[in-house]
Amino acid sequence: MSANKKALVTGGTRGIGRAIVKEFAADSDYSHIAFVYASSDERAKELVEELKPTGKEILPYKTDASSFEQVQQTVTDAVGKMGGLDVLVNNAGITRDNLLLRMSEQDFDDVIKVNLKSVFNFTKAVLRTMIKQRYGRIINISSVVGIIGNPGQANYVASKAGVIGFTKSLARELASRNITANAVAPGYISTDMTDKLTDEQRDALVKNIPLGRVGDPQDVAKVVRFLCSNAADYITGQVITVDGGLTM
C-alpha cells in the first residue's frame, strides 16, 4: 500500500505530535490526516491553515483521549470522513512530576489515563477497520525514561513503560493480519515539556548525550514516517530509541 494513505495522530497540535502531522502532510503517500488535540482550538486552527497549501484533507478533533466514549465517536467520524484508516500514532501525553512521597493520587491517575489508557482507547477503536482491510501501522510514542526510569516521574515512567508492553502484546496479536505495532522512545527533545528546564539543567543533560545536543521533534517524526512506510513492512514489536545515544 502506498498512495492515498489515511493517518490519525493524537496530541497533534504541539511538539512531537505537530511534527508528525506535518511530516505526513509532506508525504505524497498521504491524502488525509486527522489529528486529535486536548485544549487549544487556536493551535489546531493554525495547524490546519499551515497545511492548507499541501492540498491534503486535514481533520482536527478536540477530544479527551482518556475518554473511551469520546474516542469511539472521534474515530468513527474520522474513519467515515476519510474512507478508512491506515496509520494510528498514539502520541497524547502529559506530565505531573513530583517525588513519589509528594505525588498525589490524582497526579498518578491523570498521567496514566492520558498517557496509557488513551493508547488502549484509540487502538481498540481503530482495530476493526484495520483488521477488515488487512493493513495497519500503529506507532506508540513512549520515552527513554520508560526504559531507564527517572526520579520524580514515577507516574510518567510507569505510563511510558506500559506503552512499551502494550505495543509488544499488540504486535503479537495483530501480526497475522498484516498490522504492525512499534514504539518510538524519544530522549530529550526540544518541546514545550523540556522548555521548562533551566539552562543549567539543559547543559547537564546534554553532557550525557553522545551526539551532544537535545533532539528536535523532526528527529522523531522522521522515524515515525519510516515505520509507517513500505520500507518498514518487516518491522514489528520494536522499541526504537531516538535519543542521540543517551541510553546505549
Side-chain angles (χ1 to χ4, degrees):
M1 177 169 292
S2 54
N4 202 32
K5 275 187 180 177
K6 291 103 175 171
L8 189 156
V9 181
T10 72
T13 56
R14 42 179 48 191
I16 290 168
R18 189 184 186 94
I20 292 167
V21 171
K22 289 168 76 170
E23 194 72 23
F24 286 149
D27 189 330
S28 60
D29 282 354
Y30 291 82
S31 58
H32 300 69
I33 301 121
F35 69 85
V36 171
Y37 65 102
S39 52
S40 176
D41 295 324
E42 197 176 320
R43 275 179 185 261
K45 282 176 193 163
E46 278 172 13
L47 184 55
V48 171
E49 283 300 313
E50 187 182 340
L51 298 178
K52 263 188 182 167
T54 66
K56 309 291 170 77
E57 183 169 12
I58 312 294
L59 301 170
Y61 287 94
K62 190 173 191 174
T63 306
D64 175 1
S66 70
S67 164
F68 188 79
E69 291 76 18
Q70 280 192 41
V71 168
Q72 289 286 330
Q73 289 167 1
T74 293
V75 169
T76 300
D77 191 80
V79 169
K81 283 181 177 161
M82 295 193 293
L85 185 70
D86 306 297
V87 169
L88 170 66
V89 181
N90 283 304
N91 168 70
I94 61 168
T95 54
R96 296 283 184 273
D97 297 349
N98 218 330
L99 293 173
L100 189 60
L101 200 61
R102 300 195 191 105
M103 186 179 290
S104 69
E105 183 185 12
Q106 189 71 54
D107 285 345
F108 187 86
D109 288 349
D110 286 350
V111 169
I112 296 294
K113 275 199 307 187
V114 175
N115 297 10
L116 182 57
K117 184 164 183 281
S118 69
V119 177
F120 166 80
N121 290 344
F122 274 95
T123 305
K124 189 165 172 65
V126 306
L127 278 191
R128 286 191 191 281
T129 298
M130 288 185 174
I131 288 170
K132 193 175 173 185
Q133 66 196 16
R134 292 193 66 80
Y135 181 89
R137 298 289 175 262
I138 298 167
I139 311 295
N140 297 323
I141 306 299
S142 179
S143 168
V144 292
V145 301
I147 301 167
I148 62 173
N150 206 27
Q153 287 196 308
N155 49 2
Y156 186 76
V157 171
S159 71
K160 292 302 188 179
V163 166
I164 289 172
F166 183 90
T167 303
K168 292 186 175 188
S169 288
L170 199 61
R172 289 188 181 275
E173 282 187 29
L174 300 174
S176 64
R177 311 300 180 100
N178 193 33
I179 299 168
T180 63
N182 292 288
V184 175
Y188 291 102
I189 307 294
S190 185
T191 66
D192 290 351
M193 279 191 193
T194 55
D195 286 346
K196 295 170 191 165
L197 300 172
T198 64
D199 288 341
E200 272 182 17
Q201 288 172 322
R202 186 175 283 257
D203 290 344
L205 285 176
V206 168
K207 278 180 190 165
N208 293 318
I209 301 170
L211 283 180
R213 68 174 177 90
V214 170
D216 189 84
Q218 277 75 30
D219 293 325
V220 180
K222 283 183 243 179
V223 174
V224 171
R225 181 175 168 183
F226 162 71
L227 287 170
C228 297
S229 74
N230 296 343
D233 282 351
Y234 201 55
I235 300 173
T236 196
Q238 301 307 302
V239 184
I240 313 289
T241 54
V242 184
D243 66 357
L246 177 69
T247 57
M248 69 175 163

